[in-house]
Amino acid sequence: MVKLTLIARVTDGLPLAEGLDDGRDVKDAEFYKQQVKALFKNLSRGQNEASRMSIETGPYIFHYIIEGRVCYLTMCDRAYPKKLAFQYLEDLKNEFERVNGPQIETAARPYAFIKFETFIQKTKKLYQDTHTQRNIAKLNDELYEVHQIMTRNVQEVLGVGEKLDQVSQMSSRLTSESRIYADKARDLNRQAFIRKWAPVAIVFGVVFLLFWVKTKLW
C-alpha cells in the first residue's frame, strides 16, 4: 500500500505538497519523513542524478521520479508492485505540472500547493487495492517498464550526504576556532604592547606633569 506521498522542488529541497493524512498507520512515520527530507536535501546538492529510483528503508521502500526540477516521492510496503508505485507518481506529476507548473519556480514558502493534497488522496485511493481491474490492467501494461529503475539502500544513499555534512560541520568548526584563535592572538599582542610601552608612557607622563607644575610655579 501507498503510505506516504511528498512533492518537493529539487533545486532547494523546498517541500511543495504532501498527503496530509499519510503515515497514520505507519510506526515511526516521523522517522521516515525525516529520511525523505534528508533525501530531498541530497537531491538539491545534485548527489543523486537518477531521475527515477527506488530506495529500501526498513519494511518500506521509497520510489521517486524527478521531472521539471520537481521530485515526486512515495513510500510503499515492499510488497507493493513497483510498476503501480511509479504509475501513481506519473499521475501526480502530470496533474501537478498541469495545475501548478508556472508557479513552481516562484514558490517561496513550504507547502505552497497544499490544495494539491486533495488530488493526492483521491489518486492514492485508486492505487491502494492492487486487485482492481484498473490496476491489474496497469500491471499488465507492457509499454510501461520499471525493471531498469535502480534500487538502492537508504543508508547507501544518505550516507554520502551525512559525510558531506560532517565535513561541512568540521569546516565550520575550524573556521570558528580560527576566529577565536585570531581574537585571542590580538588580545595577547595588545597586552604585550601595553606591558612594553606602559612604563615608558608613565615616565613621560610624570616628566610632563613635573614640567607643567614647574612652569606654573615660576
Side-chain angles (χ1 to χ4, degrees):
M1 294 177 65
V2 174
K3 299 294 184 181
L4 299 174
T5 304
L6 297 100
I7 301 173
R9 192 165 57 198
V10 174
T11 50
D12 54 7
L14 183 74
L16 302 174
E18 177 181 344
L20 294 183
D21 67 344
D22 285 0
R24 290 183 180 179
D25 61 339
V26 177
K27 184 180 179 181
D28 299 325
E30 283 305 314
F31 169 75
Y32 293 109
K33 287 184 179 181
Q34 288 302 316
Q35 284 190 331
V36 173
K37 290 177 181 178
L39 175 60
F40 287 156
K41 188 176 180 181
N42 279 12
L43 290 172
S44 70
R45 295 169 174 160
Q47 291 174 14
N48 296 299
E49 297 180 357
S51 62
R52 283 162 171 70
M53 185 179 289
S54 298
I55 303 172
E56 297 172 339
T57 175
Y60 305 108
I61 186 163
F62 295 132
H63 303 286
Y64 77 75
I65 63 176
I66 298 174
E67 278 199 30
R69 290 187 286 188
V70 175
C71 180
Y72 305 84
L73 180 145
T74 186
M75 186 180 82
C76 307
D77 294 313
R78 288 205 182 203
Y80 190 79
K82 188 174 183 178
K83 181 180 281 191
L84 283 184
F86 278 97
Q87 288 180 313
Y88 166 65
L89 293 175
E90 289 282 355
D91 286 354
L92 296 184
K93 174 190 71 69
N94 292 337
E95 181 66 9
F96 193 78
E97 287 180 346
R98 186 186 71 80
V99 175
N100 303 308
Q103 291 83 39
I104 293 173
E105 287 299 318
T106 57
R109 58 184 175 83
Y111 304 105
F113 307 107
I114 195 67
K115 291 182 180 179
F116 192 71
E117 189 267 345
T118 303
F119 183 82
I120 292 176
Q121 295 305 328
K122 182 176 69 174
T123 308
K124 188 172 78 169
K125 287 178 182 178
L126 296 175
Y127 281 89
Q128 291 294 62
D129 186 355
T130 60
H131 299 295
T132 63
Q133 285 188 334
R134 174 185 179 278
N135 288 335
I136 290 174
K138 284 182 174 293
L139 286 170
N140 293 329
D141 183 3
E142 296 181 358
L143 296 178
Y144 194 90
E145 289 298 332
V146 294
H147 298 300
Q148 294 182 346
I149 295 176
M150 185 186 305
T151 299
R152 297 176 67 185
N153 181 272
V154 70
Q155 296 302 326
E156 179 186 0
V157 174
L158 297 184
V160 176
E162 290 170 356
K163 289 176 183 177
L164 286 177
D165 281 341
Q166 290 172 3
V167 172
S168 177
Q169 290 170 8
M170 184 179 295
S171 176
S172 298
R173 187 168 61 250
L174 289 173
T175 301
S176 177
E177 290 173 354
S178 296
R179 287 173 181 166
I180 293 172
Y181 176 84
D183 290 339
K184 287 183 177 179
R186 281 194 293 270
D187 288 339
L188 290 173
N189 288 335
R190 192 180 301 113
Q191 292 172 15
F193 179 85
I194 291 171
R195 283 197 298 268
K196 180 178 180 180
W197 294 106
V200 176
I202 291 171
V203 170
F204 275 104
V206 171
V207 171
F208 177 81
L209 181 62
L210 290 173
F211 179 80
W212 180 80
V213 171
K214 184 176 179 180
T215 56
K216 286 294 182 181
L217 291 174
W218 289 2

